[in-house]
C-alpha cells in the first residue's frame, strides 16, 4: 500500500510503474495532472484512489491494469471516460463523481463484474440501454445530481440492483 494523499505531485516519476507488487495506491488531493505511461507496470494493483486531482485523460498503459478491481477518480477534470478504461473489464467498483461527464461510452456494457457505479454530479442526460443491460452484476448505481430524466426499463427489472440513488436529479419514469 502506498499513500501519497495531500502531497504536491503534479507528475509522478516515470519509474513509478516498477512498483510491480503494489496492491493499493492512494493519490487523493495530490494535484496529479497525469499518470506516467509506466502506470501499466503496476500489474498487482487492485485498488486506485486518485480523487480530487487534475486528471483529464489517462495514458493508454492504464488499460493494462488487469488486476484493478476498485477505481476511484472522483472530482478530476474528465469530460469523457478515457478509452483505455474499456480494457478494465474486471472492475467491480468505479467512481467517477463530479467530473463533468456528458456521455457514457458503450464499452461499459462489457463490465459484467461491476457492482458499484457512482456517477453523481456529472452532466449526464441519459443512461444508454446497452449499458443498463450489460451491467448484470450491478448492485449500486448513483446518478444523483445529473440531468438523467428517464430511468430505463432494464433498470426497473434489474434483479441485483439494491441501491439506486437518483435524487435530486430531475428523473422521470419512462
Amino acid at each position: 500500500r502506498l499513500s501519497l494523499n495531500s502531497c504536491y505531485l503534479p507528475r509522478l516519476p516515470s519509474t513509478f510503474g516498477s512498483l510491480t507488487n503494489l496492491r493499493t495506491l492512494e493519490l487523493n488531493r495530490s494535484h496529479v495532472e497525469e499518470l506516467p505511461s509506466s502506470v501499466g507496470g503496476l500489474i498487482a494493483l487492485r485498488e486506485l484512489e486518485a480523487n480530487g486531482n487534475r486528471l483529464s485523460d489517462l495514458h493508454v498503459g492504464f488499460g493494462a491494469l488487469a488486476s484493478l478491481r476498485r477505481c476511484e477518480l472522483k472530482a478530476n477534470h474528465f469530460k469523457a471516460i478515457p478509452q483505455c478504461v474499456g480494457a478494465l473489464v474486471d472492475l467491480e467498483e468505479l467512481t467517477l463523481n463530479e467530473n463533468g461527464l456528458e456521455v457514457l461510452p458503450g464499452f461499459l456494457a462489457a463490465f459484467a463484474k461491476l457492482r458499484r457505479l457512482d456517477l453523481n454530479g456529472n452532466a449526464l442526460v441519459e443512461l444508454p440501454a446497452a449499458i443498463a443491460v450489460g451491467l448484470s452484476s450491478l448492485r449500486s448505481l448513483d446518478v444523483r445530481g445529473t440531468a438523467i430524466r428517464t430511468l430505463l426499463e432494464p433498470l426497473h427489472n434489474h434483479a441485483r440492483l439494491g441501491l439506486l440513488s437518483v435524487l435530486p436529479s430531475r428523473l422521470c419514469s419512462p
Side-chain angles (χ1 to χ4, degrees), residues 104 106 109 126-135 150-155 158:
L104 295 176
E126 70 174 343
L127 182 65
I131 292 173
V133 171
L135 298 177
T150 305
L151 185 59
L152 299 171
E153 188 62 33
L155 285 179
H158 200 291

Side-chain angles (χ1 to χ4, degrees), residues 3 6 27 33-34 48 55 57 76 86 89 113 117 122 126 128 136 149 165 170-171:
S3 179
S6 300
L27 293 169
E33 295 173 4
E34 65 180 18
L48 171 67
L55 296 168
D57 200 5
N76 279 285
V89 296
K113 295 180 182 178
L117 180 59
N122 283 294
E126 70 174 343
S136 58
R149 295 181 183 267
S165 298
R170 290 162 264 156
L171 183 68

Side-chain angles (χ1 to χ4, degrees), residues 1-173:
R1 169 180 228 122
L2 179 59
S3 179
L4 297 171
N5 293 330
S6 300
C7 296
Y8 184 77
L9 295 167
R11 287 184 177 66
L12 298 170
S14 61
T15 57
F16 201 72
S18 64
L19 301 171
T20 57
N21 293 318
L22 186 63
R23 295 178 56 87
T24 302
L25 176 59
E26 298 172 352
L27 293 169
N28 300 312
R29 299 167 311 282
S30 294
H31 304 274
V32 177
E33 295 173 4
E34 65 180 18
L35 296 175
S37 59
S38 66
V39 71
L42 302 174
I43 57 174
L45 194 66
R46 293 185 56 80
E47 299 181 6
L48 171 67
E49 292 180 16
N51 300 314
N53 286 295
R54 298 175 181 164
L55 296 168
S56 60
D57 200 5
L58 297 170
H59 190 276
V60 68
F62 190 83
L65 299 175
S67 296
L68 198 61
R69 298 297 178 266
R70 185 171 66 87
C71 182
E72 293 187 12
L73 298 169
K74 174 180 158 183
N76 279 285
H77 299 283
F78 297 106
K79 297 298 177 203
I81 299 175
Q83 200 65 30
C84 60
V85 173
L88 305 175
V89 296
D90 288 331
L91 273 178
E92 296 172 2
E93 298 179 20
L94 181 59
T95 301
L96 291 162
N97 304 346
E98 303 165 20
N99 270 294
L101 299 176
E102 296 175 359
V103 296
L104 295 176
F107 65 66
L108 284 179
F111 284 33
K113 295 180 182 178
L114 197 66
R115 292 178 297 142
R116 191 182 94 212
L117 180 59
D118 291 338
L119 300 166
N120 77 53
N122 283 294
L124 298 168
V125 295
E126 70 174 343
L127 182 65
I131 292 173
V133 171
L135 298 177
S136 58
S137 296
L138 196 64
R139 292 190 181 123
S140 173
L141 174 64
D142 187 348
V143 293
R144 290 174 295 148
T146 67
I148 293 176
R149 295 181 183 267
T150 305
L151 185 59
L152 299 171
E153 188 62 33
L155 285 179
H156 283 256
N157 300 315
H158 200 291
R160 295 186 182 200
L161 191 61
L163 177 62
L164 174 62
S165 298
V166 294
L167 299 176
S169 76
R170 290 162 264 156
L171 183 68
C172 302
S173 294

